[in-house]
PDB file of all heavy atoms in Angstrom:
ATOM      1  N   HIS A  21     145.770  87.152 118.665  1.00 91.00           N
ATOM      2  CA  HIS A  21     145.417  87.941 119.903  1.00 91.00           C
ATOM      3  C   HIS A  21     144.954  87.005 121.039  1.00 91.00           C
ATOM      4  O   HIS A  21     145.173  87.401 122.198  1.00 91.00           O
ATOM      5  CB  HIS A  21     144.228  88.938 119.556  1.00 91.00           C
ATOM      6  CG  HIS A  21     144.611  90.104 118.819  1.00 91.00           C
ATOM      7  ND1 HIS A  21     145.091  90.106 117.546  1.00 91.00           N
ATOM      8  CD2 HIS A  21     144.657  91.415 119.210  1.00 91.00           C
ATOM      9  CE1 HIS A  21     145.345  91.338 117.188  1.00 91.00           C
ATOM     10  NE2 HIS A  21     145.116  92.165 118.160  1.00 91.00           N
ATOM     11  N   PHE A  22     144.451  85.858 120.709  1.00 92.00           N
ATOM     12  CA  PHE A  22     144.001  84.944 121.720  1.00 92.00           C
ATOM     13  C   PHE A  22     145.209  84.024 122.178  1.00 92.00           C
ATOM     14  O   PHE A  22     145.290  83.611 123.307  1.00 92.00           O
ATOM     15  CB  PHE A  22     142.895  84.014 121.216  1.00 92.00           C
ATOM     16  CG  PHE A  22     141.678  84.809 120.848  1.00 92.00           C
ATOM     17  CD1 PHE A  22     141.354  84.931 119.497  1.00 92.00           C
ATOM     18  CD2 PHE A  22     140.909  85.480 121.729  1.00 92.00           C
ATOM     19  CE1 PHE A  22     140.208  85.635 119.094  1.00 92.00           C
ATOM     20  CE2 PHE A  22     139.775  86.220 121.368  1.00 92.00           C
ATOM     21  CZ  PHE A  22     139.456  86.274 120.021  1.00 92.00           C
ATOM     22  N   VAL A  23     146.095  83.760 121.248  1.00 90.00           N
ATOM     23  CA  VAL A  23     147.248  82.892 121.448  1.00 90.00           C
ATOM     24  C   VAL A  23     148.338  83.651 122.288  1.00 90.00           C
ATOM     25  O   VAL A  23     148.997  83.040 123.097  1.00 90.00           O
ATOM     26  CB  VAL A  23     147.821  82.360 120.132  1.00 90.00           C
ATOM     27  CG1 VAL A  23     149.070  81.568 120.363  1.00 90.00           C
ATOM     28  CG2 VAL A  23     146.812  81.459 119.437  1.00 90.00           C
ATOM     29  N   SER A  24     148.546  84.884 121.912  1.00 83.00           N
ATOM     30  CA  SER A  24     149.634  85.655 122.462  1.00 83.00           C
ATOM     31  C   SER A  24     149.125  86.950 123.092  1.00 83.00           C
ATOM     32  O   SER A  24     149.617  88.065 122.783  1.00 83.00           O
ATOM     33  CB  SER A  24     150.739  85.951 121.474  1.00 83.00           C
ATOM     34  OG  SER A  24     151.744  86.667 122.061  1.00 83.00           O
ATOM     35  N   THR A  25     148.111  86.880 123.977  1.00 82.00           N
ATOM     36  CA  THR A  25     147.464  88.089 124.517  1.00 82.00           C
ATOM     37  C   THR A  25     148.473  88.969 125.238  1.00 82.00           C
ATOM     38  O   THR A  25     148.497  90.177 124.953  1.00 82.00           O
ATOM     39  CB  THR A  25     146.414  87.636 125.567  1.00 82.00           C
ATOM     40  OG1 THR A  25     145.528  86.764 124.910  1.00 82.00           O
ATOM     41  CG2 THR A  25     145.707  88.854 126.091  1.00 82.00           C
ATOM     42  N   ARG A  26     149.445  88.388 125.908  1.00 82.00           N
ATOM     43  CA  ARG A  26     150.474  89.221 126.638  1.00 82.00           C
ATOM     44  C   ARG A  26     151.252  90.025 125.685  1.00 82.00           C
ATOM     45  O   ARG A  26     151.579  91.170 125.915  1.00 82.00           O
ATOM     46  CB  ARG A  26     151.334  88.241 127.451  1.00 82.00           C
ATOM     47  CG  ARG A  26     152.342  88.977 128.307  1.00 82.00           C
ATOM     48  CD  ARG A  26     153.112  88.053 129.211  1.00 82.00           C
ATOM     49  NE  ARG A  26     154.053  88.726 130.015  1.00 82.00           N
ATOM     50  CZ  ARG A  26     155.356  88.775 129.760  1.00 82.00           C
ATOM     51  NH1 ARG A  26     155.820  88.032 128.733  1.00 82.00           N
ATOM     52  NH2 ARG A  26     156.228  89.411 130.525  1.00 82.00           N
ATOM     53  N   GLY A  27     151.650  89.472 124.576  1.00 81.00           N
ATOM     54  CA  GLY A  27     152.453  90.183 123.589  1.00 81.00           C
ATOM     55  C   GLY A  27     151.742  91.337 122.975  1.00 81.00           C
ATOM     56  O   GLY A  27     152.245  92.412 122.628  1.00 81.00           O
ATOM     57  N   PHE A  28     150.384  91.260 122.813  1.00 87.00           N
ATOM     58  CA  PHE A  28     149.576  92.328 122.200  1.00 87.00           C
ATOM     59  C   PHE A  28     149.228  93.415 123.263  1.00 87.00           C
ATOM     60  O   PHE A  28     148.853  94.505 122.924  1.00 87.00           O
ATOM     61  CB  PHE A  28     148.323  91.824 121.601  1.00 87.00           C
ATOM     62  CG  PHE A  28     148.562  91.109 120.301  1.00 87.00           C
ATOM     63  CD1 PHE A  28     148.736  89.713 120.191  1.00 87.00           C
ATOM     64  CD2 PHE A  28     148.738  91.837 119.140  1.00 87.00           C
ATOM     65  CE1 PHE A  28     149.024  89.100 119.029  1.00 87.00           C
ATOM     66  CE2 PHE A  28     149.007  91.230 117.898  1.00 87.00           C
ATOM     67  CZ  PHE A  28     149.156  89.820 117.855  1.00 87.00           C
ATOM     68  N   ARG A  29     149.306  93.122 124.577  1.00 89.00           N
ATOM     69  CA  ARG A  29     149.005  94.081 125.621  1.00 89.00           C
ATOM     70  C   ARG A  29     149.969  95.283 125.455  1.00 89.00           C
ATOM     71  O   ARG A  29     149.566  96.369 125.808  1.00 89.00           O
ATOM     72  CB  ARG A  29     149.165  93.454 126.992  1.00 89.00           C
ATOM     73  CG  ARG A  29     148.068  92.475 127.313  1.00 89.00           C
ATOM     74  CD  ARG A  29     148.258  91.899 128.726  1.00 89.00           C
ATOM     75  NE  ARG A  29     147.790  92.830 129.632  1.00 89.00           N
ATOM     76  CZ  ARG A  29     148.486  93.283 130.681  1.00 89.00           C
ATOM     77  NH1 ARG A  29     149.688  92.857 130.940  1.00 89.00           N
ATOM     78  NH2 ARG A  29     147.970  94.153 131.549  1.00 89.00           N
ATOM     79  N   ILE A  30     151.174  95.057 124.994  1.00 86.00           N
ATOM     80  CA  ILE A  30     152.206  96.069 124.960  1.00 86.00           C
ATOM     81  C   ILE A  30     151.703  97.218 123.921  1.00 86.00           C
ATOM     82  O   ILE A  30     152.077  98.310 124.149  1.00 86.00           O
ATOM     83  CB  ILE A  30     153.461  95.432 124.385  1.00 86.00           C
ATOM     84  CG1 ILE A  30     154.050  94.525 125.448  1.00 86.00           C
ATOM     85  CG2 ILE A  30     154.487  96.485 123.930  1.00 86.00           C
ATOM     86  CD1 ILE A  30     155.163  93.574 124.943  1.00 86.00           C
ATOM     87  N   VAL A  31     150.973  96.846 122.996  1.00 87.00           N
ATOM     88  CA  VAL A  31     150.485  97.789 121.978  1.00 87.00           C
ATOM     89  C   VAL A  31     149.377  98.730 122.505  1.00 87.00           C
ATOM     90  O   VAL A  31     149.248  99.857 122.039  1.00 87.00           O
ATOM     91  CB  VAL A  31     149.992  97.043 120.719  1.00 87.00           C
ATOM     92  CG1 VAL A  31     149.535  98.021 119.598  1.00 87.00           C
ATOM     93  CG2 VAL A  31     151.068  96.131 120.219  1.00 87.00           C
ATOM     94  N   VAL A  32     148.676  98.313 123.530  1.00 92.00           N
ATOM     95  CA  VAL A  32     147.571  99.069 124.053  1.00 92.00           C
ATOM     96  C   VAL A  32     148.114 100.218 124.971  1.00 92.00           C
ATOM     97  O   VAL A  32     148.690  99.981 126.008  1.00 92.00           O
ATOM     98  CB  VAL A  32     146.635  98.180 124.897  1.00 92.00           C
ATOM     99  CG1 VAL A  32     145.476  98.956 125.433  1.00 92.00           C
ATOM    100  CG2 VAL A  32     146.134  97.012 124.025  1.00 92.00           C
ATOM    101  N   PRO A  33     147.859 101.457 124.553  1.00 92.00           N
ATOM    102  CA  PRO A  33     148.270 102.586 125.386  1.00 92.00           C
ATOM    103  C   PRO A  33     147.420 102.728 126.658  1.00 92.00           C
ATOM    104  O   PRO A  33     146.215 102.330 126.627  1.00 92.00           O
ATOM    105  CB  PRO A  33     148.039 103.798 124.481  1.00 92.00           C
ATOM    106  CG  PRO A  33     147.307 103.317 123.260  1.00 92.00           C
ATOM    107  CD  PRO A  33     147.216 101.896 123.289  1.00 92.00           C
ATOM    108  N   ASP A  34     147.983 103.277 127.711  1.00 93.00           N
ATOM    109  CA  ASP A  34     147.237 103.341 128.944  1.00 93.00           C
ATOM    110  C   ASP A  34     145.972 104.224 128.783  1.00 93.00           C
ATOM    111  O   ASP A  34     144.970 103.926 129.409  1.00 93.00           O
ATOM    112  CB  ASP A  34     148.152 104.000 130.017  1.00 93.00           C
ATOM    113  CG  ASP A  34     149.266 103.099 130.456  1.00 93.00           C
ATOM    114  OD1 ASP A  34     149.134 101.841 130.269  1.00 93.00           O
ATOM    115  OD2 ASP A  34     150.335 103.575 130.895  1.00 93.00           O
ATOM    116  N   TRP A  35     146.024 105.235 127.929  1.00 94.00           N
ATOM    117  CA  TRP A  35     144.837 106.087 127.786  1.00 94.00           C
ATOM    118  C   TRP A  35     143.656 105.240 127.196  1.00 94.00           C
ATOM    119  O   TRP A  35     142.470 105.625 127.454  1.00 94.00           O
ATOM    120  CB  TRP A  35     145.131 107.302 126.926  1.00 94.00           C
ATOM    121  CG  TRP A  35     145.580 107.075 125.516  1.00 94.00           C
ATOM    122  CD1 TRP A  35     146.856 107.100 125.091  1.00 94.00           C
ATOM    123  CD2 TRP A  35     144.808 106.659 124.389  1.00 94.00           C
ATOM    124  NE1 TRP A  35     146.987 106.774 123.714  1.00 94.00           N
ATOM    125  CE2 TRP A  35     145.712 106.563 123.310  1.00 94.00           C
ATOM    126  CE3 TRP A  35     143.473 106.522 124.125  1.00 94.00           C
ATOM    127  CZ2 TRP A  35     145.261 106.176 122.040  1.00 94.00           C
ATOM    128  CZ3 TRP A  35     143.005 106.115 122.897  1.00 94.00           C
ATOM    129  CH2 TRP A  35     143.867 105.971 121.824  1.00 94.00           C
TER     130      TRP A  35
END
Side-chain angles (χ1 to χ4, degrees):
H21 281 67
F22 302 109
V23 173
S24 181
T25 304
R26 184 172 179 257
F28 286 97
R29 291 181 77 232
I30 292 165
V31 180
V32 180
D34 292 334
W35 60 261

